[in-house]
Amino acid sequence: MRLAVTITMALSLIAGAAFAKTPYHDGTAEVIKPVDKNHPLDEVVSGYNFRKAMIRDVQDDDFENPGMLVADHGEELWDTVDGSAGKSLSQVFEGCAEVPLDVVGSVYPRFNNAASKVISLEQVINMCRETAMGAKPYKWESRDMLGITAYVRMQSRGSRVNVAVDGKASAAFERGKDLYYKRVGQLDMSCAHCHEDNYGNYIRADMLSQGNINGFPTYRLKWNGVGSTHRRFRGCMKNIRAKPLPYGHEDYVALELYTAWRGNGLKVETPAYRN
Amino acid sequence: MKQTTQFSSISRRHALAMLSAAGAVVLAGVPAYADGAAVAAKIKGLTGGRSVGEGDIELDLPEIAENGNAVKVAFSINSPMTVDNYVKAVHVMADGNPTPDVASFNFTPAMGACSASTRMRLAKTQNIIVLAEMNDGSFKQAQATVKVTIGGCGG
Amino acid sequence: MAKIKPRVKVPKKAAAGEIVEIKALISHPMHTGRGKNKKTGKKIPRKIINKFVASFDGQDVFTANFEPAVSANPYIAFPFKASKSGAFTFKWVEDGGAEFTASKKMTVA
């Protein structure tokens, strides 16, 4: 059955290329112009608008959204004292992140001076735990890490994604861009084949989005739970029969920065709800 | 589009690669699915063979579910919900899942109204049957079809 | 295993006679007994929340019986007619008998 799925996946992309693009949103979608003139697309749309009402309605209701169970867990951790310094993350986090709490979620991944490189939100949190709290780092995809990243990013919910890609971040940005367009795996595909050339087209019964990451960590029905951007990257890699990189790999951080930049201007939706 | 030629030739090697990758994916064996007969038998068991009326049950189900892992199922039944006249129980069944039962609900007059909403797993496109049992022992039912699509990457 | 934690929504205040909506959500994988562990290939035994009971001032008012077809992180919403101030207790029962509870007060004016 999986064989059929995969072949149909590839075939439906051919069909997608052969027929006119179907309208992928119903007119209520927020369609923004790219913030940066070097953006490859004319319009930027959140993954939210590629989904049907059954899914959007759940995200629209904070109570129905099961992603909130994880964000709630993060809220508890936020104020919990942990580690040899006797501090909670809430006491030290802004110092580590180098930006105010309500901004962090819209500007990370970011060049962090203490780390002297571009790092993701997960990495800031672990850096903070190790250096400022004297606590053990969280495992990347653990409930604790997902909870705390969901909670922190939620503090920026509604504000616009605004990652910086110039100056000291430019090398990571260029690396991320190369990776985005690089063909990989047995299916010999790049991110751009699906999310730039074919968004709005169906891949089998699934409508391809632009691959924006403004809702991560996000609850996915496929996962029956919340996952990180890097988990999604790994899933995409497996879909195209490429070898996924480990969580937190430098290339994934670069790709995350580049992908976040493509969605600059979109509202942070964390924790989003997707299929 | 430029990648068309890439995708139009799925070589034998690719197909085999996909097949081996498929082997890594977890399949829970070949499941047997319930069908209309299983649901009918279930209803017969619940009603004791009594006749079942139609109407007065409003269903809220998506026509198309983008993912079968969490499909909204909600219903409301017009009832005064008094001690003398209330909905006692509601059974939600599906005729295309491995087993027909989804959930059942017990209501009391204290609720003042009869409705409920939950989320269910649907293995494929199928009918959802809602059977309501009144306090006087009578039954009524309603049904609707939910088309379940399976994602390309998401499924 | 993920920590199991409920979330409930009850209006703090309601008018007498008003029908309010109660919502409840709990984090639970709802293992159907049909899935397998991806790494070990071993069958994951069935473990679901099989029952949800809502009571008001000690009186059961609504019960839901869940089968494996209910989604992970089960969600339930139902109505309740406010008649007097009191406290709701919500109880989720897992296969094997473990119970998880939450309670909320509601003031009726």
Side-chain angles (χ1 to χ4, degrees):
Chain A
M1 195 185 99
R2 281 282 154 172
L3 169 65
V5 172
T6 315
I7 291 178
T8 326
M9 254 167 69
L11 291 177
S12 61
L13 271 178
I14 302 168
F19 297 102
K21 188 165 272 195
T22 44
Y24 57 86
H25 57 77
D26 57 11
T28 60
E30 187 192 53
V31 179
I32 62 166
K33 292 281 164 214
V35 174
D36 195 316
K37 64 174 171 25
N38 296 317
H39 200 289
L41 302 173
D42 301 328
E43 54 180 18
V44 178
V45 182
S46 168
Y48 173 90
N49 296 298
F50 290 84
R51 304 276 65 93
K52 292 189 168 61
M54 181 188 102
I55 286 178
R56 294 196 297 201
D57 287 352
V58 176
Q59 182 176 318
D60 289 345
D61 184 325
D62 275 359
F63 192 85
E64 289 190 24
N65 183 351
M68 287 295 172
L69 289 163
V70 173
D72 277 0
H73 175 61
E75 185 174 9
E76 277 176 29
L77 295 176
W78 177 249
D79 280 319
T80 305
V81 171
D82 192 9
S84 56
K87 291 192 188 308
S88 67
L89 196 61
S90 60
Q91 292 170 289
V92 292
F93 182 68
E94 286 193 344
C96 304
E98 301 172 351
V99 280
L101 174 62
D102 60 348
V103 175
V104 174
S106 56
V107 300
Y108 265 86
R110 180 179 174 85
F111 184 90
N112 183 290
N113 291 316
S116 8
K117 60 179 179 182
V118 171
I119 56 174
S120 69
L121 181 55
E122 289 86 351
Q123 290 165 331
V124 185
I125 284 160
N126 272 346
M127 184 179 81
C128 212
R129 285 181 59 79
E130 289 181 280
T131 59
M133 294 166 68
K136 276 192 195 150
Y138 290 138
K139 260 186 83 183
W140 196 278
E141 209 63 17
S142 64
R143 187 171 168 83
D144 288 350
M145 180 59 99
L146 291 168
I148 202 79
T149 48
Y151 175 73
V152 168
R153 227 179 260 282
M154 225 179 100
Q155 308 312 308
S156 301
R157 194 160 60 146
S159 63
R160 307 272 173 186
V161 179
N162 183 26
V163 294
V165 299
D166 54 356
K168 288 175 176 171
S170 61
F173 174 76
E174 291 303 329
R175 175 67 185 153
K177 185 177 174 183
D178 286 349
L179 291 166
Y180 195 90
Y181 288 99
K182 190 179 169 194
R183 287 175 179 275
V184 287
Q186 287 167 325
L187 296 188
D188 200 29
M189 289 167 73
S190 74
C191 306
H193 286 129
C194 283
H195 299 293
E196 183 165 309
D197 300 339
N198 274 300
Y199 69 86
N201 286 331
Y202 281 93
I203 186 160
R204 202 161 180 240
D206 216 6
M207 190 186 271
L208 286 164
S209 74
Q210 291 183 340
N212 287 313
I213 57 172
N214 53 311
F216 279 87
T218 192
Y219 188 98
R220 280 190 80 209
L221 287 166
K222 179 185 171 156
W223 296 335
N224 281 321
V226 171
S228 68
T229 306
H230 291 202
R231 180 172 180 191
R232 191 67 194 91
F233 287 164
R234 285 168 59 86
C236 280
M237 301 286 273
K238 287 178 198 162
N239 290 149
I240 57 172
R241 312 298 172 220
K243 195 167 185 271
L245 296 172
Y247 289 107
H249 191 283
E250 202 177 340
D251 278 353
Y252 274 0
V253 176
L255 186 59
E256 186 183 345
L257 174 68
Y258 177 73
T259 311
W261 169 82
R262 290 175 70 102
N264 262 357
L266 291 175
K267 283 179 185 163
V268 175
E269 293 175 20
T270 308
Y273 184 77
R274 301 281 188 269
N275 66 339
Chain B
M1 290 194 183
K2 59 181 179 289
Q3 73 275 30
T4 307
T5 50
Q6 278 296 332
F7 294 144
S8 58
S9 58
I10 294 176
S11 69
R12 185 181 152 77
R13 188 173 62 86
H14 272 112
L16 286 173
M18 292 170 198
L19 190 61
S20 66
V25 174
V26 183
L27 292 175
V30 181
Y33 292 109
D35 53 19
V39 171
K42 180 86 197 164
I43 292 174
K44 200 176 169 194
L46 289 164
T47 59
R50 267 167 289 182
S51 68
V52 177
E54 299 275 334
D56 276 353
I57 304 178
E58 197 183 311
L59 298 183
D60 183 359
L61 287 159
E63 271 177 51
I64 297 173
E66 281 183 277
N67 189 305
N69 271 353
V71 181
K72 180 184 183 180
V73 50
F75 59 85
S76 68
I77 301 173
N78 200 2
S79 164
M81 294 301 279
T82 59
V83 178
D84 298 328
N85 183 1
Y86 69 97
V87 181
K88 213 171 119 187
V90 172
H91 305 271
V92 178
M93 289 160 273
D95 69 3
N97 273 353
T99 53
D101 295 309
V102 174
S104 64
F105 307 95
N106 300 326
F107 294 88
T108 60
M111 298 174 73
C114 178
S115 69
S117 174
T118 186
R119 294 195 280 249
M120 64 184 166
R121 294 165 166 149
L122 295 181
K124 57 179 184 179
T125 296
Q126 57 188 293
N127 298 308
I128 308 307
I129 299 94
V130 173
L131 176 74
E133 183 181 354
M134 309 301 137
N135 66 315
D136 65 0
S138 66
F139 289 86
K140 52 190 172 185
Q141 76 170 69
Q143 83 168 57
T145 305
V146 178
K147 192 177 171 225
V148 178
T149 62
I150 299 168
C153 293
Chain C
M1 191 177 152
K3 225 162 76 178
I4 291 160
K5 205 172 167 273
R7 227 175 166 234
V8 289
K9 190 176 181 184
V10 172
K12 282 195 180 76
K13 284 177 189 162
E18 184 187 349
I19 291 179
V20 298
E21 190 181 38
I22 314 292
K23 294 179 176 183
L25 185 66
I26 190 165
S27 56
H28 196 282
M30 297 290 276
H31 290 304
T32 61
R34 290 169 188 277
K36 282 183 184 171
N37 182 304
K38 285 191 190 185
K39 286 191 183 110
T40 63
K42 277 192 188 154
K43 204 170 168 182
I44 303 169
R46 175 184 139 149
K47 187 160 249 189
I48 66 167
I49 297 286
N50 60 51
K51 194 190 264 285
F52 166 83
V53 184
S55 55
F56 185 75
D57 280 356
Q59 188 93 32
D60 288 358
V61 291
F62 173 72
T63 306
N65 302 290
F66 295 145
E67 301 293 336
V70 169
S71 304
N73 304 309
Y75 167 78
I76 180 81
F78 57 94
F80 182 75
K81 190 175 185 176
S83 56
K84 55 169 185 170
S85 299
F88 284 97
T89 306
F90 305 98
K91 183 173 77 178
W92 289 260
V93 185
E94 190 184 50
D95 286 350
E99 292 183 358
F100 311 96
T101 55
S103 50
K104 286 263 177 178
K105 282 185 183 146
M106 182 174 74
T107 306
V108 174

